[in-house]
Amino acid sequence: MSYERRGGGGRRRHHRDDYDDRRREPYESPDDKLKNAIIKLGEVDPVEELPRLEKQIREHVPRNIPILSEAFRIGVTEEPYKTPYYAALLRLLHDPSDVGIPDETPLGRLILEDFWKGFQGYLDKVAWRETRLCIHFFAHLTVAKLISPESLFSLLQSFTAVLDEFGVSHGRAKRAALCAGEGLLVVCPILIPGGGHLDFSQAGPILKQYSPSNTTDIIEAIRTYNELTVTQKWLVAPVTKIYSDVVPEENAVELLDILLTILQTLDRGDFEETANCLPRPYSEYPEIDTTVLPPYNLPLVLVPPEIIELDALSGDSGEEAQVKKEEWPEFFIRLFGSEVSPDFQNPVGYILRTALLDITDIFEVNRKECARLLLEYPKWNLPGTFKPKPGATVTADPVPGKDWQLESTIIETTLGAYLILPESSSKSIYYTSLITELCKLSPSTVGPAVGKSIRKLYISLSEGLDVEVARRFAEWFAVHMSNFGFQWVWKEWVPDLSLTVQHPRRAFMRRAIEYEIRLSYHDRIMKTLPESMQTPEAYTIAEQAPGPDFGYDDPGKAHHDAAQAVLNLFRGRAKAEDVISHLDTLKSTLESSDEGHVNVDAVVRSIAVQSLLHIGSRSFSHLLNAIERYLPLLRNLASSGVSSVGGGGNAEAKADILSAAAAFWKHNRQMVGIVFDKLMQYQIVDPTDVVGWTFLNGAVIGQFSELAGPMNLSTFEWDLLKGALDKANGRVMIARRKVTALRKEDDDTRARVKASTDADTMEVDAEEKPEDTTSDNPALVTALKAFSSLTKEQKAALSKTLEGFVSCLAPSLTDPSPNPHARTVISEEAWENRANWGRDEWSAWETWGWYRQFCRAYSPYLRTYSNTLYAISFAKFDGSKDPAAELLKRIWNIATGQDA
Amino acid sequence: MAHVVSSLDQPSNYKDSQTRVDRMKQNEMLSKSTTLYIGNLSFYTTEEQIYELFTKCASPEDGGGIKRIIMGLDRNTRTPCGFCFVEYYTHAEALASMRYVSGTKLDERIIRCDLDLGYKEGRQFGRGKSGGQVRDEHRQDYDPGRGGWGAQAQRIEIERRREVEERYADAVDGPGAVAGGGEDWKEAENAAPEKTLKRGRSPDDEGNNNGRLGQRTRTEEDMEAERM
């Protein structure tokens, strides 16, 4: 392995440029050199290098234990695939030195003791990944007899203790369970009578005594916790049925579930499979005589409580609104059979996949290096695990039951991490770019794996693949194709054009093509499609490039002249107030004309907004310029002529503005999203307006009128909702940060003042004045006010969204254009009959899917307001037996944590 | 993760060669920068295509998003000349673009991203003698995406070019030529101008620039070292 550009201390070596000669190659001290040598272990062959590295470490003077233990810590936590070799190195360093001083503490032990301090540091910071990876190391060292099994088990048990904490969050419990469970998995050889395949002939009888109670306790603790998460699993499984909370196992596996299954297998004494999961190079060395060198006892630890943000806002808002993520079980989608990629459910599969996931996670900062390391992974595992590379010179004999395809395993694992619900741990685009890099490194082997994955995901679209997973699939597909010349063989999906127009597969094709066009252009993408998909009747790609549609362009249409006049004012860069007075005149003219019976306000708004968008239609920048130049006009329109209403505006007027914008860009949904976003950004409309508008009008915007139907939500409408909700939440976030910063500033000032006053009045034992809690800092007062009004807006947007979903999915007679199938698609019978579903059934089904995504993705926010929101949207169903209402409530309760 | 590999989000050797800000100040500005310089674009790539790709690095739930895009234009013809600035609301989004987007393709070209000190008036124009970017003056290869245009090009692309060329015909110079992009949320009644969190330009920067920029020869350029 070559680590290019690594300088001492991890600073990037910069290319020298003409005037920057200050960044020289950093000086590398002998200590740094040694540290780097340890970190670089195994660039060629780890086993061969170990004795050499051991010698180098021993000969290094003066001895610097902290440097050595730091190097081990970096290795173990940043290159976890090397951990068995670091354990072997530490094992070698436990041998007595050549000098042979009697009773000398071995160098390895000194390093281990110092390493422990670092571990304690990770634990104190609740750095879960580092903590877990150190535990792997300790478990290896226990097998190598350098750490006492008793102390390892008590360490693992301090993690299972977390599972019993009152009100423990799922994120914390999950990570703690992984620490304990994975530790147990690595240490498993000592639980095997006779030491398994390892040559620890006398070990068995002695070590076996630790096994029964300790392992059972650990496994039992994980099992008990895991049982509590059944309903949550139903809400985040990538493939589910609406009607049943049984998650089909063949499509996806949940991380904690499989860890538990494996540990239970292990506990039943079925060790055959667990022995060959990991390399254990230290087992090749002579066994440590524990009577001469007693194993190290890991000190007792307590996992510190969750870090609570002390500066979280108190009283003022009345709402405690911390946003915590990753509160859900983690499902990984299964794309291949166990002959292609390892089954997650066996120990080797678990270890391989979590090893790949750790690499993906750790090397997120450099996707190129990450891709290289993933493809190099087989070097760190046992020979024969993966099929050799085509043309490889050294080939190991395939191990029966292994011999998997590396690239398929990597792609499946990466896509698994990408498709986690409600959201992946890194940004979506990271996984996309990582797969791109993998393909670039080895196109001939990774390319086919990507193709197979796409086909598999495509097939599962009709088997209940979650709508958010389907959306991300389309997003990845488009960006991936954009990086590889849009070369997809669309032909193979032509037969699916016979499916109903809203069938998930057809929806996928449309969406993927729409996203491709956004990244490229219409004609380019059109050329990649087979003829049968190009025709308008295929409803797969729009006939025309997605241009604007100025509703008053046609001289034959109503208001053409009026609109031309407004347009000319804009073109001539007339002042906003002049346009406003022109519009007032226009309004009176219209009112007095024959057309007076129509909604004149709406007509004037539409003319004004469409004309403004028309002059801003050339590019995103033109749009911004147009909006900025005519902000007073837009504000005037939004408030329905009533000047400068603080925030509020007129709901009907704002809905008209949104309708006009959506009509103008009806052929270009990307622009609808952008215009809405900027209208919110410039505070012409509020997120709540966008939410309300979307539920009433969203379904009519699109390229194909055939797709419009009764009230439903597709991906496009979901994107609009998400844009609005994220805007509302993001503003609260900014306001909160501002308040926190000002508070801190205020406190500091106060403390300074107090300190100086105290100094002045040293002798007078003046009574402490009661702390003035309401600050007189005007900036803080303003910030608090902003925070409170933004919090209200946030709550309103969430509430409006929930109401919208409820009226879509459990419509009452008064709701506009209810979908008759909203109630019917949720039964098992209906689902089994889905081959006969038409447009409206699939639309209803998709809307249910977005409701689920809304609840799980925004659950941290929804929890904050759960009581109020419940009262607004669900109280009316109390006592009702409506199955749709029941299901709505059930999903809501799971997401807000009220499901017992 | 600083020990084993370098992060892709570090500032590179890219710089604005006409800046008059000292090195330390520059580094400090880059460490908070919300602006990216995007290079090696096709002349025909639109702002909407750029928006579509870069919005994937946005974090609206964290108060972020794309604030504005400033298309780099040929000084003389007012047509795109293959670079742009993307400005986000937050620094983290700019870093995400460095990590995940820089070095990937847009419009079938590998684009590069670099943290930038922030857009300043005039920087939207190419600095080459011809009006475009300097790199396109020294370039030897035939590059259809960057003006290396010939008869073999298809009619459809000519059409596309015509549209693109007209698009910025109205671009102007001087203050207010480029939209601000909308600031953070403000309380409507409280019109009192408040200091925003946005990186402020220190008066020094402006002072240093006064009167000197115009006289400098414009042959140096954005150090478009092509390292892709």
Side-chain angles (χ1 to χ4, degrees):
Chain A
M1 292 208 300
S2 66
Y3 292 112
E4 311 160 296
R5 297 196 305 257
R6 190 183 55 253
R11 296 267 298 276
R12 176 170 175 169
R13 187 196 300 162
H14 287 262
H15 296 275
R16 232 168 262 173
D17 61 47
D18 48 0
Y19 74 102
D20 178 28
D21 54 0
R22 268 163 291 183
R23 289 185 186 178
R24 291 225 177 79
E25 188 76 1
Y27 165 73
E28 210 178 32
S29 68
D31 276 354
D32 289 338
K33 272 193 188 128
L34 183 64
K35 188 169 115 183
N36 288 333
I38 296 173
I39 293 172
K40 277 193 233 173
L41 165 68
E43 287 202 343
V44 180
D45 181 336
V47 176
E48 292 292 314
E49 290 169 31
L50 280 170
R52 215 161 55 218
L53 187 55
E54 180 205 358
K55 189 156 173 279
Q56 191 184 348
I57 294 171
R58 286 189 188 274
E59 285 170 1
H60 182 80
V61 282
R63 196 182 254 191
N64 187 338
I65 300 293
I67 282 282
L68 291 171
S69 80
E70 192 196 345
F72 271 91
R73 272 203 318 277
I74 291 168
V76 164
T77 57
E78 299 185 15
E79 307 168 290
Y81 40 89
K82 292 188 190 174
T83 296
Y85 301 93
Y86 284 118
L89 180 61
L90 201 67
R91 158 67 192 79
L92 288 177
L93 291 168
H94 273 75
D95 285 338
S97 61
D98 297 339
V99 205
I101 305 162
D103 297 329
E104 183 201 29
T105 311
L107 178 54
R109 175 60 51 88
L110 297 175
I111 296 171
L112 179 54
E113 283 166 2
D114 202 62
F115 185 99
W116 173 263
K117 290 184 212 155
F119 169 73
Q120 186 71 56
Y122 293 133
L123 193 58
D124 290 343
K125 283 186 288 185
V126 208
W128 284 109
R129 186 179 70 210
E130 286 80 0
T131 302
R132 180 170 53 82
L133 295 173
C134 286
I135 291 175
H136 288 187
F137 186 53
F138 294 145
H140 278 288
L141 295 177
T142 308
V143 180
K145 294 199 167 185
L146 298 175
I147 287 177
S148 76
E150 301 92 327
S151 70
L152 182 81
F153 279 113
S154 11
L155 176 67
L156 300 184
Q157 279 171 316
S158 16
F159 286 89
T160 50
V162 169
L163 305 179
D164 295 331
E165 286 170 7
F166 178 74
V168 62
S169 73
H170 182 73
R172 176 174 167 87
K174 175 178 74 186
R175 290 183 183 85
L178 294 178
C179 284
E182 291 185 7
L184 199 55
L185 192 58
V186 176
V187 85
C188 72
I190 70 159
L191 305 170
I192 303 168
H197 74 304
L198 299 171
D199 187 23
F200 288 161
S201 43
Q202 300 130 15
I206 310 162
L207 294 171
K208 185 68 180 157
Q209 60 186 300
Y210 308 114
S211 160
S213 69
N214 302 70
T215 33
T216 313
D217 287 352
I218 292 171
I219 295 171
E220 187 56 21
I222 299 176
R223 191 189 62 77
T224 314
Y225 177 77
N226 193 44
E227 274 187 359
L228 299 174
T229 63
V230 172
T231 50
Q232 279 139 293
K233 283 179 188 151
W234 170 60
L235 205 49
V236 290
V239 182
T240 41
K241 315 218 179 319
I242 302 180
Y243 58 86
S244 149
D245 59 13
V246 179
V247 177
E249 274 186 18
E250 66 272 19
N251 301 313
V253 283
E254 201 279 322
L255 193 61
L256 208 51
D257 259 352
I258 45 174
L259 178 60
L260 182 65
T261 314
I262 291 158
L263 292 175
Q264 284 169 334
T265 315
L266 182 148
D267 194 39
R268 278 196 302 271
D270 182 6
F271 300 116
E272 287 308 307
E273 288 176 292
T274 56
N276 66 349
C277 338
L278 278 167
R280 299 193 188 267
Y282 42 82
S283 63
E284 305 296 322
Y285 304 136
E287 193 178 336
I288 295 266
D289 183 350
T290 46
T291 56
V292 177
L293 179 67
Y296 176 66
N297 280 311
L298 299 170
L300 289 171
V301 297
L302 193 69
V303 182
E306 250 160 318
I307 299 166
I308 296 159
E309 267 185 58
L310 292 171
D311 53 10
L313 283 185
S314 55
D316 300 287
S317 61
E319 310 280 2
E320 184 249 354
Q322 279 188 52
V323 184
K324 266 192 265 152
K325 288 181 175 175
E326 293 185 86
E327 297 286 324
W328 298 92
E330 271 175 63
F331 276 95
F332 289 86
I333 201 155
R334 196 85 174 89
L335 299 172
F336 304 115
S338 49
E339 71 291 349
V340 174
S341 66
D343 194 337
F344 234 136
Q345 312 238 13
N346 78 43
V348 192
Y350 181 88
I351 284 178
L352 290 177
R353 284 162 183 281
T354 48
L356 296 175
L357 287 170
D358 279 333
I359 295 176
T360 308
D361 199 19
I362 292 170
F363 293 89
E364 174 267 334
V365 294
N366 189 328
R367 60 178 203 273
K368 296 177 185 187
E369 293 290 304
C370 184
R372 185 179 59 75
L373 289 163
L374 285 171
L375 290 171
E376 275 179 11
Y377 176 74
K379 144 179 190 179
W380 303 103
N381 208 294
L382 296 166
T385 305
F386 292 102
K387 284 187 196 304
K389 265 187 230 165
T393 44
V394 191
T395 51
D397 290 333
V399 176
K402 290 191 175 180
D403 200 30
W404 292 296
Q405 289 174 17
L406 173 68
E407 291 80 2
S408 299
T409 310
I410 292 173
I411 295 296
E412 187 183 34
T413 310
T414 309
L415 282 174
Y418 168 56
L419 298 174
I420 281 177
L421 294 172
E423 60 183 10
S424 50
S425 59
S426 295
K427 282 205 171 298
S428 291
I429 185 75
Y430 167 55
Y431 303 96
T432 305
S433 301
L434 177 60
I435 293 175
T436 302
E437 296 303 329
L438 286 162
C439 287
K440 277 156 72 177
L441 278 181
S442 181
S444 61
T445 57
V446 182
V450 170
K452 279 189 292 175
S453 306
I454 291 174
R455 290 184 182 95
K456 185 68 208 278
L457 281 169
Y458 179 79
I459 288 167
S460 55
L461 283 166
S462 45
E463 308 303 321
L465 191 72
D466 186 271
V467 294
E468 167 66 10
V469 174
R471 187 197 64 78
R472 272 185 242 168
F473 171 31
E475 190 181 334
W476 165 60
F477 179 91
V479 180
H480 186 83
M481 292 306 155
S482 168
N483 275 281
F484 294 96
F486 297 104
Q487 291 170 26
W488 180 250
V489 191
W490 287 95
K491 213 167 63 189
E492 63 189 80
W493 291 340
V494 165
D496 286 342
L497 293 179
S498 64
L499 296 168
T500 179
V501 74
Q502 278 294 40
H503 188 281
R505 291 189 188 176
R506 294 199 62 191
F508 170 82
M509 288 192 253
R510 262 198 314 275
R511 200 180 300 143
I513 288 168
E514 183 182 337
Y515 294 168
E516 282 191 349
I517 293 174
R518 290 185 190 182
L519 289 166
S520 182
Y521 53 99
H522 183 262
D523 294 323
R524 173 77 180 88
I525 301 307
M526 184 68 112
K527 273 193 284 185
T528 65
L529 300 177
E531 237 168 81
S532 50
M533 284 187 177
Q534 295 179 348
T535 61
E537 299 77 45
Y539 301 117
T540 305
I541 183 167
E543 263 182 282
Q544 300 286 320
D549 184 19
F550 184 48
Y552 306 96
D553 220 11
D554 181 355
K557 277 201 176 156
H559 313 302
H560 167 80
D561 296 340
Q564 285 302 319
V566 176
L567 200 54
N568 286 333
L569 284 176
F570 286 139
R571 282 185 179 139
R573 305 206 174 197
K575 284 189 184 143
E577 51 266 40
D578 295 343
V579 182
I580 294 172
S581 56
H582 176 87
L583 291 174
D584 286 340
T585 320
L586 174 62
K587 191 180 155 189
S588 352
T589 319
L590 288 175
E591 271 165 350
S592 56
S593 75
D594 303 345
E595 295 155 302
H597 59 277
V598 299
N599 184 341
V600 174
D601 279 324
V603 171
V604 172
R605 286 174 199 138
S606 169
I607 290 173
V609 172
Q610 288 213 27
S611 305
L612 186 62
L613 292 177
H614 190 60
I615 61 154
S617 65
R618 287 177 172 197
S619 77
F620 175 61
S621 295
H622 283 86
L623 169 73
L624 294 185
N625 274 322
I627 295 179
E628 278 184 16
R629 196 174 306 138
Y630 289 103
L631 273 178
L633 165 68
L634 286 166
R635 292 203 185 103
N636 178 280
L637 289 173
S639 59
S640 197
V642 186
S643 61
S644 81
V645 175
N650 173 314
E652 193 190 307
K654 292 191 285 183
D656 284 343
I657 292 175
L658 294 171
S659 293
F664 182 80
W665 282 115
K666 64 170 170 270
H667 301 305
N668 187 332
R669 305 202 286 190
Q670 181 197 12
M671 283 308 297
V672 176
I674 292 176
V675 174
F676 282 18
D677 180 68
K678 284 299 172 189
L679 288 174
M680 288 190 282
Q681 191 68 44
Y682 287 100
Q683 290 169 254
I684 306 302
V685 299
D686 293 317
T688 316
D689 300 312
V690 172
V691 171
W693 184 91
T694 303
F695 277 105
L696 286 177
N697 306 283
V700 301
I701 302 302
Q703 297 159 1
F704 308 110
S705 54
E706 283 65 26
L707 303 185
M711 194 51 240
N712 72 77
L713 247 73
S714 72
T715 313
F716 165 65
E717 290 84 40
W718 168 254
D719 284 342
L720 294 181
L721 285 183
K722 187 174 182 320
L725 293 172
D726 288 347
K727 184 72 81 189
N729 295 334
R731 281 177 178 166
V732 170
M733 189 72 87
I734 296 173
R736 178 183 292 125
R737 274 193 221 121
K738 200 175 247 169
V739 170
T740 310
L742 286 166
R743 275 254 167 82
K744 191 172 173 298
E745 200 177 283
D746 222 28
D747 287 350
D748 292 351
T749 321
R750 217 184 291 259
R752 262 201 308 279
V753 172
K754 190 168 181 296
S756 63
T757 332
D758 283 358
D760 291 346
T761 59
M762 197 79 98
E763 295 117 59
V764 194
D765 206 273
E767 213 162 283
E768 187 101 358
K769 274 190 203 164
E771 188 85 358
D772 184 14
T773 44
T774 53
S775 169
D776 44 16
N777 175 350
L780 182 55
V781 173
T782 312
L784 280 169
K785 228 170 118 190
F787 179 75
S788 113
S789 83
L790 288 170
T791 309
K792 276 194 205 101
E793 172 60 25
Q794 176 189 42
K795 187 173 172 180
L798 291 166
S799 176
K800 191 113 188 162
T801 311
L802 183 61
E803 280 175 72
F805 274 114
V806 170
S807 63
C808 271
L809 296 171
S812 62
L813 292 171
T814 53
D815 283 318
S817 63
N819 186 333
H821 298 287
R823 284 192 171 83
T824 62
V825 292
I826 57 177
S827 74
E828 181 170 2
E829 268 175 299
W831 177 248
E832 294 309 330
N833 185 39
R834 66 187 178 282
N836 299 316
W837 279 6
R839 180 193 70 187
D840 295 352
E841 283 92 338
W842 281 115
S843 294
W845 181 83
E846 185 172 5
T847 310
W848 275 103
W850 290 121
Y851 173 65
R852 289 163 61 98
Q853 174 67 4
F854 166 65
C855 288
R856 64 195 174 205
Y858 293 98
S859 74
Y861 307 95
L862 297 175
R863 276 167 200 245
T864 313
Y865 309 114
S866 63
N867 291 335
T868 327
L869 298 191
Y870 184 95
I872 294 170
S873 285
F874 292 122
K876 62 182 170 193
F877 295 120
D878 280 348
S880 135
K881 286 270 183 286
D882 181 353
E886 291 295 304
L887 188 58
L888 283 166
K889 278 202 277 187
R890 180 129 177 273
I891 293 168
W892 170 263
N893 286 338
I894 296 171
T896 54
Q898 294 169 19
D899 180 73
Chain B
M1 252 323 293
H3 303 96
V4 182
V5 298
S6 59
S7 175
L8 292 176
D9 60 22
Q10 298 302 301
S12 73
N13 63 338
Y14 159 81
K15 62 179 192 272
D16 173 11
S17 60
Q18 296 187 359
T19 189
R20 283 289 165 269
V21 182
D22 71 59
R23 190 64 179 192
M24 244 174 49
K25 178 86 183 161
Q26 280 193 42
N27 287 341
E28 194 202 316
M29 284 161 79
L30 289 180
S31 72
K32 293 179 196 151
S33 171
T34 60
T35 304
L36 294 165
Y37 166 90
I38 317 297
N40 198 33
L41 291 173
S42 152
F43 290 180
Y44 311 108
T45 299
T46 65
E47 291 181 25
E48 290 68 38
Q49 286 171 280
I50 296 164
Y51 188 101
E52 177 70 6
L53 185 60
F54 283 88
T55 199
K56 295 178 195 300
C57 291
S59 306
E61 71 288 352
D62 208 26
I66 293 181
K67 186 172 179 183
R68 55 179 176 171
I69 295 170
I70 298 155
M71 189 60 100
L73 300 178
D74 183 297
R75 209 162 4 100
N76 303 322
T77 63
R78 301 293 197 242
T79 58
C81 66
F83 76 97
C84 79
F85 299 99
V86 170
E87 187 174 338
Y88 286 105
Y89 286 99
T90 68
H91 177 57
E93 295 168 303
L95 291 185
S97 300
M98 296 285 289
R99 289 183 186 182
Y100 314 138
V101 173
S102 186
T104 69
K105 282 189 181 176
L106 177 60
D107 221 356
E108 308 187 52
R109 300 178 66 92
I110 292 177
I111 56 166
R112 59 171 277 202
C113 307
D114 271 297
L115 289 172
D116 190 89
L117 298 175
Y119 169 76
K120 278 191 182 183
E121 203 189 306
R123 287 194 63 196
Q124 73 268 46
F125 296 114
R127 292 167 176 176
K129 277 189 191 132
S130 66
Q133 285 199 285
V134 173
R135 56 168 286 198
D136 286 312
E137 285 173 12
H138 306 302
R139 188 158 54 72
Q140 303 283 324
D141 59 337
Y142 175 84
D143 188 342
R146 292 181 70 97
W149 192 256
Q152 72 271 49
Q154 294 174 14
R155 184 196 55 77
I156 199 85
E157 279 169 326
I158 297 168
E159 177 63 16
R160 207 174 156 216
R161 179 159 86 154
R162 194 184 55 77
E163 271 175 36
V164 168
E165 284 177 353
E166 283 174 1
R167 185 167 302 135
Y168 294 97
D170 61 343
V172 288
D173 212 337
V178 165
E183 290 302 327
D184 292 345
W185 187 91
K186 283 196 190 65
E187 190 93 27
E189 302 99 316
N190 277 299
E194 214 185 306
K195 266 198 109 174
T196 59
L197 288 169
K198 209 183 122 237
R199 180 193 65 74
R201 285 185 196 128
S202 87
D204 296 354
D205 312 354
E206 305 293 343
N208 283 343
N209 273 324
N210 274 348
R212 300 185 56 177
L213 252 174
Q215 292 154 19
R216 297 192 72 229
T217 49
R218 298 196 175 207
T219 46
E220 312 168 21
E221 192 313 283
D222 305 55
M223 282 300 291
E224 268 266 356
E226 285 209 70
R227 292 167 297 111
M228 296 304 173

